[in-house]
Amino acid sequence: MAEPPRARLRTRLLLWLIVGAVRGLGPLRRPAGTAVALVWYAKQPRAVRRRAAVNHRRLAPQLSAAAARRRARASYREYVWMMLDGIWVEPLSAGSLRSIIDYEGAEFLNSGNGIMVTSHFGNWDIGASSANALGLPMTTVMATVGPPATTELVELSRRRKEFELFTPRQAARGLIRALRRGRWVALMLDVPEAGPTVVVPFCGGPVRVSAVPARLAAGTARPIVPVACWRVGERWRVRIHPPVHADPLEDDSGVMARVAAALEPEIRRHPEQWYPFHDVFDDGAG
């Protein structure tokens, strides 16, 4: 994922300008994010808006149709806030980050490395920043993110956090080597980038999730550590759950179902910070 020198300079300048603009908003960051989200939501095709509301109603069947639509709009707002917040923390030092993040379960990180798994919820970029602030060497998979310029920006931001990055094509061997070198591997549960998948119960229905964490855990004898990071006012909370160990006699779906079960309660407690904009549920899985 190397960039030519001229591209690196251009990307660094663009990232500096974007970070400066977001930080320059000051207390207007939230209202500006809300305005962007309202426009973004309004411009979505009706079927896309409806899909988000239907997904929220699967999570919480007691919602009326109108309440589900309001929750979908709130998810769009939170998603924009999530992106702005991730940019806002970009230049903060490790000490400054630790001062605005509350950790629960950090003791589960003290017995060696493993596979961190999070979901499409809260703020995974601030979760990544918090891992860096704790001094954890992190490795992850990164596919392209929209146009090349956007991919370069995200890659630069993650490398500044000292993330080791592999493309999906490189991931199979790269992640195993990283674990054996003592690094932590960070993966997304419910938006698989590449590799094998399984269907597990999650957030109100069958969801196709990555089986890569289970395969890595079985192949390296490292634990899977479910992690969630979400916004609480102007602070963030990182909850590190007890490790999930892959039993040699348990199949991938059983392991990943336990990981999903650990992450689901946070989504149910803060559903507006869940981002179900895609086809979440795999109702055809048999």
Side-chain angles (χ1 to χ4, degrees):
M1 289 187 133
E3 298 171 89
R6 182 173 294 180
R8 283 199 297 269
L9 179 60
R10 179 197 63 208
T11 304
R12 288 178 187 278
L13 177 60
L14 184 56
L15 182 62
W16 179 80
L17 290 171
I18 291 171
V19 171
V22 170
R23 293 191 69 83
L25 287 171
L28 296 177
R29 185 168 92 252
R30 294 276 179 250
T34 299
V36 170
L38 287 172
V39 173
W40 179 33
Y41 179 81
K43 286 183 173 293
Q44 295 303 302
R46 183 177 180 182
V48 173
R49 297 197 303 268
R50 182 178 182 278
R51 181 172 59 200
V54 167
N55 287 338
H56 270 294
R57 211 169 182 185
R58 287 286 291 270
L59 178 70
Q62 77 279 6
L63 290 177
S64 67
R69 289 193 296 271
R70 287 195 295 272
R71 190 161 287 176
R73 286 195 297 272
S75 285
Y76 274 80
R77 180 198 67 213
E78 289 286 346
Y79 192 87
V80 174
W81 285 4
M82 178 267 292
M83 291 190 293
L84 292 177
D85 290 344
I87 296 167
W88 185 84
V89 303
E90 178 72 27
L92 297 184
S93 66
S96 296
L97 279 167
R98 289 195 297 269
S99 73
I100 59 173
I101 296 173
D102 300 311
Y103 294 93
E104 292 183 22
E107 66 273 13
F108 296 125
L109 305 176
N110 296 333
S111 56
N113 67 318
I115 304 113
M116 284 190 187
V117 177
T118 191
S119 63
H120 209 55
F121 161 79
N123 196 319
W124 47 88
D125 275 331
I126 288 183
S129 297
S130 74
N132 184 51
L134 291 175
L136 302 179
M138 303 296 296
T139 297
T140 193
V141 180
M142 183 178 155
T144 56
V145 185
T150 303
T151 299
E152 290 172 11
L153 281 170
V154 176
E155 180 189 351
L156 174 60
S157 175
R158 290 179 180 172
R159 288 197 186 280
R160 281 161 56 105
K161 299 178 177 75
E162 301 180 7
F163 262 61
E164 179 183 44
L165 302 175
F166 289 104
T167 65
R169 181 172 295 182
Q170 300 168 324
R173 293 181 180 178
L175 297 181
I176 291 174
R177 288 198 300 266
L179 286 167
R180 289 175 175 166
R181 286 187 284 117
R183 298 182 67 87
W184 284 85
V185 165
L187 296 171
M188 186 73 76
L189 173 77
D190 49 339
V191 185
E193 300 257 358
T197 61
V198 292
V199 176
V200 302
F202 187 59
C203 293
V207 174
R208 189 165 295 278
V209 304
S210 175
V212 172
R215 301 281 178 94
L216 289 173
T220 63
R222 300 311 198 274
I224 302 170
V225 180
V227 178
C229 174
W230 67 95
R231 185 182 59 79
V232 182
E234 293 303 315
R235 298 180 62 81
W236 290 271
R237 182 172 297 277
V238 172
R239 179 166 291 153
I240 302 149
H241 292 271
V244 172
H245 296 274
D247 188 316
L249 300 179
E250 190 176 16
D251 61 18
D252 293 343
S253 60
V255 175
M256 297 314 300
R258 289 193 284 136
V259 175
L263 292 171
E264 183 174 328
E266 267 83 57
I267 296 173
R268 290 191 174 277
R269 281 190 283 268
H270 307 282
E272 69 285 351
Q273 293 189 56
W274 182 45
Y275 313 119
F277 307 146
H278 58 296
D279 289 319
V280 173
F281 300 102
D282 192 346
D283 292 310

